[in-house]
Amino acid sequence: MSTLLAINTSPMTTTAVTRRLVETFVSLWRDRFPGGRVIPRDLGVAPPPHLDERTLAAFAKPEEVLTADDRRLLALSDDLIGELVAADHVVIGSPMYNFTVTSGFKAWIDMVGRAGKTFDYSPSGPRGLLGGRQVFVLTARGGFYTNDASEAPMDFQESFLRGYFGFLGIEDVRFIHAEGQGIDPGTARNNEAEAISQLEALFAGGGVQRVA
Ligand SMILES: Cc1cc2nc3c(=O)[nH]c(=O)nc-3n(C[C@H](O)[C@H](O)[C@H](O)COP(=O)(O)O)c2cc1C
């Protein structure tokens, strides 16, 4: 059975472009993988807390010396990692905030990047442990950062996410962007419709693969 982890990161619950894109992706995914399991995770409505000193200390401890308090502090990180490990495919709706991801999404990133769980240190450097998955990032942006746009160097969202998931061993990371959401309503609608067409083409073209 295929499993999809469907992550929303927009704090906007009713108007978010990225929530509509994620909804479309999930619907196309269900058609492609009937009987598959979808795990929803809403980081916009319920962002994880920032890492603090006690949680980081618990991250660093070997399993056998964890106290009951440590286990309580690690519970959310363990759950989030469990969802990611269970997934063959991950779809993430990611609004661009201040040229990168939302703070709730960054808090998730800090919770799931854990030595010994999602990456390891080897003599030749860090090694990602989550290879074999596909990640699909559906973004919305007020402006334009693709196709040689003058603002392209300010796109720290795509480069950051490619780098981060690559660090975890996930090389197959695909982006679909709904740009120009702040320009005017017509441009916003057209670019969202174009992103939906790209999603349909992605599924029709076999871009979402069955994981062995
Ligand atoms: C706090 C905040 C910061 C933003 N920063 C940027 C930015 O750096 N670049 C950009 O193009 N758009 C920026 N935007 C616009 C959003 O990316 C755009 O409204 C997008 O549609 C939000 O996604 P959503 O509709 O899924 O919530 C920002 C919006 C907010 C609320």
Side-chain angles (χ1 to χ4, degrees):
M1 184 179 65
S2 294
T3 300
L4 170 67
L5 173 58
I7 301 178
N8 272 299
T9 71
S10 176
M12 306 306 283
T13 56
T14 59
T15 58
V17 176
T18 51
R19 288 182 183 274
R20 292 194 287 272
L21 297 179
V22 168
E23 207 177 311
T24 302
F25 186 102
V26 170
S27 158
L28 291 164
W29 189 90
R30 285 191 193 281
D31 291 346
R32 169 78 176 78
F33 301 100
R37 178 165 71 118
V38 178
I39 304 171
R41 173 57 67 175
D42 199 326
L43 306 173
V45 169
H50 291 162
L51 292 175
D52 58 19
E53 186 169 12
R54 288 189 313 146
T55 309
L56 284 169
F59 272 16
K61 286 188 187 176
E63 189 76 30
E64 53 282 8
V65 302
L66 291 176
T67 64
D69 261 1
D70 292 332
R71 288 187 195 282
R72 194 177 43 74
L73 289 165
L74 293 176
L76 178 59
S77 167
D78 288 343
D79 284 352
L80 296 175
I81 289 172
E83 291 174 358
L84 187 54
V85 168
D88 305 299
H89 305 122
V90 182
V91 63
I92 303 165
S94 176
M96 178 186 272
Y97 273 17
N98 296 307
F99 310 106
T100 183
V101 300
T102 59
S103 56
F105 185 16
K106 177 60 165 58
W108 178 89
I109 283 169
D110 289 342
M111 283 273 168
V112 302
R114 247 171 89 186
K117 299 269 182 197
T118 54
F119 70 95
D120 237 337
Y121 291 110
S122 73
S124 54
R127 187 172 54 102
L129 300 177
L130 296 185
R133 289 167 180 75
Q134 285 185 296
V135 172
F136 302 89
V137 184
L138 315 179
T139 81
R141 290 125 172 237
F144 295 96
Y145 302 84
T146 58
N147 299 322
D148 297 326
S150 59
E151 289 294 305
M154 294 299 284
D155 179 0
F156 301 105
Q157 183 184 26
E158 177 165 342
S159 55
F160 170 51
L161 293 173
R162 278 195 192 286
Y164 178 71
F165 285 114
F167 177 73
L168 300 186
I170 306 175
E171 296 300 338
D172 193 346
V173 185
R174 304 188 191 199
F175 285 78
I176 291 181
H177 301 290
E179 296 194 305
Q181 294 304 312
I183 304 299
D184 60 60
T187 305
R189 260 196 314 275
N190 286 345
N191 287 350
E192 182 178 340
E194 172 56 27
I196 301 258
S197 300
Q198 288 179 30
L199 275 177
E200 287 164 352
L202 173 77
F203 277 88
V208 184
Q209 288 142 18
R210 189 171 292 284
V211 177

